[in-house]
Structures are given as structure tokens and as C-alpha cells.
Amino acid sequence: MSAETAPAVSADNPLLAESPLPYALPPFADVSLEHCREAVLSGMAEQRAELDAITGSAQPPTFENTIVALERSGALLRRAGAVFGNLSSSLSTPRLREIERELAPLESAHADALRLDPVLFARIDAVHEARHDAGLDAEAVRLVERHHLDRVLAGARLDDAGRARLSELNRELSELSTQFGQNLQLATEAAAVRVADAAELDGLSDEEVASAARAAADRGLDGYVLPLLLPTGQPVLAKLRDRGLRRRVLEASVGRASSGEHDNGPVAVRIARVRAERARLLGFATHADLVLADQTAGSTAAVDAMLASMVGPSMANARAEAAALAEVAARDGVEELAAWDWAYYSERVRAERYSVDRAALRPWFELDRVLVDGVFRAAELLYGFRFTARPDLAGYHPDVRVWEVAGPDGEQVGLYLGDFLAREGKRGGAWMSSFVTQSRLLGTRPVVVNNLNVAAAPEGRPTLLTLDEVDTLFHEFGHALHGLSSAVTYPRFAGTAVPRDFVEFPSQVNEMWALWPEVLGHYARHVETGEPLPAAVVEAIDAARLWGEGFATLEYLAATLLDQAWHRITPETEIGDPAGFERRALEEAGVALDLVPPRYRTTYFQHVFAGGYAAGYYSYIWSEVLDADTVEWFRENGGLRRENGDVFRSRLLAVGGSVDPLEAFRAVRGRDADPAPLLRRRGLTPSV
């Protein structure tokens, strides 16, 4: 697409110019889907024209006229793409999905134009060759190296035929990934479990029953509806006393997108095959080898060694937990424990052994109080950030709220958006993304958003969280802090633009503050009485910390090893039935246990088939090695202290991808990571 064929952008399109709102917050109330579509199309054409100007220059390639010019390019596409990408995850409609299908192959072709253009690569290659003799600072040198490596791994050194074939594969992958995500969203909505009789909901709180009634009413149905969240395990499984309903919920969860018009099985198979062919074209044995070439783990062998060390202990721990559950279930007349019983009886064991009834904790975890008096307070104590509600600034949906963020000296930092409630058209799970990223070069400050999928409370009643949802909120806010703390020159390095197996590290660290006494005591107040969570309950939660780690580790490892299996195939691998491939992969990896299904099965494994975690789902536990060791560093140095926060922010969060991530870790910890804290945390030490 050339500048001459660029689609016209209507004069009233609010995305045409930078938003006049504070921090360039998109003017959501004025933006339509058609505005997004035409702005994305025009933005691609505009960036192609900018690319033509770079490659057509008669001047010798330099850092400024090639690398910096690339960093400055694509302003319209950045604005439009950020808005449309966030809406596609949070506010999907039939028209949006139609536009998404139209744009996916065009965006793939555009990305290839930026990565594979031989003239552009020749200029980047020349700058790369002279980078140490050009008087560049360390961040600029790393920027040159990143642009060069990005293109080498993307296929810039292929010949014309190779580049053409690569573009075909990339286009097909973009279409398939879009299809997978849309199938999953529609299948998940369709698989929501209908309940006619309120008696079947025994075990749920009055608020949860009312929420189920509201979910049914929103769909125009009588009775009750239990919507499904993204992972295999559904929160209601820990509470429902009706065993038949528990079975229906789990079977609906694991069966999503596995048959009918939204069957993702064939889509996943084709995605894996195309990725395998692309990896071979690029000179790698498998897609996993291609991915690991640019991660901190470095090789599939390193990932295999870490995962293998955990399989045996986690399987043993899970079997021991199953035996304990079976004893309790037998008292209810359950002759054989099933997967749909696990969460329910796990909570029973937790309550009996440790006096912890996690369902009964919800009145102490009211959403706004957790957010303001917990999450925000920890960030203020640690980093000096202050959050001021901006009701005058609108989000993209009435549920979305906006806060302005100021630094310790009152300086402007950015905006934080919160979109915490589940609804139709919103994909499952929880995540952080950006509308604007920080860059000194572009003069921009961050605008970040957190998404959760908490069931909305009935009108006029407070929204209460589970303890797991509290952890999730702290986790996702850790990603937000990564974006808000960014202090880099070039947008390529802003915030969370770090290797996939490092990006979860800061967010996992932030989870530690959820139960930190100075933080927990401030926000964990009963929603009606204001009484703090009793100290005995807090002690019991801590005592019960290792209970359930066998299940949690095994379900995670099963998903991780399934991801690796799909992305270790070659183009010649005989896959057959995708469900059969999945079963064999789990058996061969030693993690097949019917009582503990993978956290994600193939047909709803959005992270790897419609997200950025292909061959990278191991990242969570790889990052947790760094996280667990860093938690010990905080504790050794006095915990929630501004001095500690300043070190972590300035040496790690602020630098984003502008330095080697493991160097950033060493700048905080003073050494390489020690895996022992992680093994202790998960109960995988030999003594356990």
C-alpha cells in the first residue's frame, strides 16, 4: 500500500491527530469502530510512506536517519491500533469481529514490510556494523542491536522466494489466530451453564446467586447463568454443593470450542503446523527453538531442565493432596473422587486443617477498598505514586474508571484505567495493556489499563473479591507499574517491552504486598462492620500457604508442557486428532492425571494460539525464579520501604527493555537468581 493508495480519513475522525485530552487519552466517546478501521488502514499507508522515505534517502544510513526515523514512524497507526486492539479484547461486537478479520492479514503484511524490506535491512545492517564507532550512548546501541536482531529472527536475510513464502505463512497465522480468539469468545459465551432451580446453587452467597440471576437476565433468559472464565478451573467449583452441577460446570469448561461451528481443534493444529514450517524456513528446528533464541532462558534445553525438575515432586504432591481429598469426600458418600470434586473438597480440607474458609473471606475484600487502600497504597508506600480519580475523563465503557498518577514530588506520571468487571464481549482472563507508552523521544507519558473479569454485584451492592482475585489484581497492577514507571528514550523499550519470559517477573513480585501486614491491615475490612480481618485468620492463611500447591503446580506444568509439545512439532509430525495429541503429550511428559486437567486445554489455550505466549507459557514459572528470589531481597532489606522501591523502580522497572533484563535483575539483587526460594514456595524441596 503506497501513500497514493492510502484510504481517505474523514476530517472528523478523532484518531487523525493526537488527542487533546490529558496524556493523550483517546476520546473514546467520539471514536466509532469505523473511525478505528479507516485510521488503521490509513495509518499503515502513512507508515509505508515513511518507510519509503527512509529507504529512498540518498544519504548514507545513520542512527538518526534510519533507526530514530523508524522509532518516530507510525504515529497514526499506533494511536488507532492501540484503541482498536483494546476494544477487540474488552468490548467485542459482531461488527468489530468483522473488522478484525479484515485487518488481520493486512496488518500481517504491513508488519512484514517493516521487518523484511531488503533495502531497509541493508541500512539497519550498516548502522549495526558501525554502532560502536558512532558515538552512541548505551541505550542507542541497544536500540540498534534490537532492530537488527528483530529483523534477523523475522527473516530479513531470506532470499526473495523465502521472504514471499514467509509473508504467506505470517498472513495465514494472523487469520488463524484471529479465528481462534473469536471462536473461543463465542464458544465461551455459549458454554455458560444455565441453572433453572436456585436450590442447585446451594453453597454460593446471596450476592453470587443474584449475580447469576443477573447474568441470565442480561441474556434474556429465565433462571440463572454461571458464565465461564478463561482457565479450566471455575471459581464456583469450590463452593457448589451440588455435585451434578459441579460436573456440568467443569465439563462445559474443558469442552469449550472443541466441537461444532466454533471448534478450535483444527485451527490449533493448523497454527502449530504453520509455525513449524515458518521456523524451518528461518533456520530453526522447531517454533520453540525460534522463540527461545530471543528469551532470557536461551534454549529449549534450559526450559526442559527446569520443567523436568518439577514434574516428579509436583505429581507426588498432587497425589498426596488427592488422597486427603478422597478421605473427606468419602464422608459425603463419594466413592471415587473426580476432577469436578477437587476444588470443593480442597476448600473443605483447608477449612478443617487450617480453619480457613476462603469463601467466607469475601466480605473483607471489597473491590474499591482493595484497589484504593491496598493496591494503590502499596504503590504509594513503595514508589511514592499517588492516584487521583478523574471522573471527568471517560473510558471506553461505563465500567471503566480513570485515575491520574503523580510521582513522589507531585510530577505528572500518566493515567491508570481500571476495567474490572466481566461482561458479554469481553475476553476471559486478566491482563494489562497500554493506550499510550512512555517515550522521551516522542514526548509521551503512559496511559495503561488493567482488565479483570470479576462478576458484577447486583445493583446497589458492593463487589466482593475472592482471595485469588485479590492476588490477580495485585499481579496485573504489577504490569501497570512496569508501564507507569517507564523512563526510556525510545518507544521500542517502553514499559513491558521486555522478553516474554521476563515480563511476568515484576507483576509476580507485586503479589507479595497483597498479604503484607501494613497493606492487608489497611484494606481487609469487613464491608458492613469495618472490622479488620482477624489476626488468627491471617495466620491461618499463612499456615495454609502450601496446601494446594501440588494441584496448582501440576495444572500449570501440564499447560506449559502442552504448549511445548505443540511447538516442538516439525512440518512432518503426524498429529491426528488434536485431543489425542494432547493426551499423548501429557502422558509422555509425565503430567497426565485425570483429577488435575491442564490449566488450559488446547481448544481454549488463548495464550499460545491467539496471544503472545506460543512456546512461552513456561515464562510464568521461569519468571517466578526471579520473583521468589526478589521477594527474599525485599524481606532481607526491610520490606515495604521507599528505599527498596526506589531501587527496584529505578534499576529495573524504569529501564524497560533498554538494558539486558538479567543485568537489570543483577543490578537489584547483586547476583544471579537462586532457584531455592521458588522450590520452597511451591513445596518442591526434597524435605517436603
Side-chain angles (χ1 to χ4, degrees), residues 245-314:
L245 182 55
R246 291 202 304 268
R247 179 174 184 169
R248 286 177 59 203
V249 169
L250 184 66
E251 289 181 343
S253 183
V254 299
R256 274 176 291 175
S258 61
S259 62
E261 63 176 320
H262 302 308
D263 187 355
N264 266 337
V267 183
V269 171
R270 184 58 189 160
I271 288 174
R273 285 204 181 282
V274 175
R275 285 173 174 164
E277 182 181 345
R278 183 177 63 175
R280 177 172 292 177
L281 182 63
L282 292 170
F284 292 89
T286 69
H287 181 74
D289 291 293
L290 169 61
V291 169
L292 269 294
D294 191 28
Q295 300 297 314
T296 65
S299 69
T300 54
V303 172
D304 289 345
M306 177 191 66
L307 298 177
S309 71
M310 297 181 176
V311 168
S314 65

Side-chain angles (χ1 to χ4, degrees), residues 454-522:
V454 177
E459 189 70 31
R461 300 169 82 167
T463 298
L464 306 179
L465 306 182
T466 65
L467 184 56
D468 285 343
E469 288 169 337
V470 171
D471 287 339
T472 298
L473 180 54
F474 274 86
H475 175 98
E476 295 305 332
F477 191 75
H479 288 305
L481 287 170
H482 206 170
L484 291 167
S485 299
S486 183
V488 300
T489 300
Y490 306 106
R492 172 66 178 77
F493 295 143
T496 58
V498 296
R500 179 63 66 187
D501 61 4
F502 192 81
V503 74
E504 297 297 335
F505 158 51
S507 56
Q508 289 170 329
V509 168
N510 203 60
E511 292 179 39
M512 74 177 290
W513 309 118
L515 295 180
W516 196 263
E518 297 166 69
V519 180
L520 180 70
H522 203 70

Side-chain angles (χ1 to χ4, degrees), residues 130-149:
R131 67 193 183 282
H132 294 303
D133 303 316
L136 304 177
D137 63 21
E139 185 178 353
V141 169
R142 183 165 174 83
L143 183 66
V144 174
E145 292 172 344
R146 289 307 315 175
H147 273 282
H148 191 265
L149 182 60

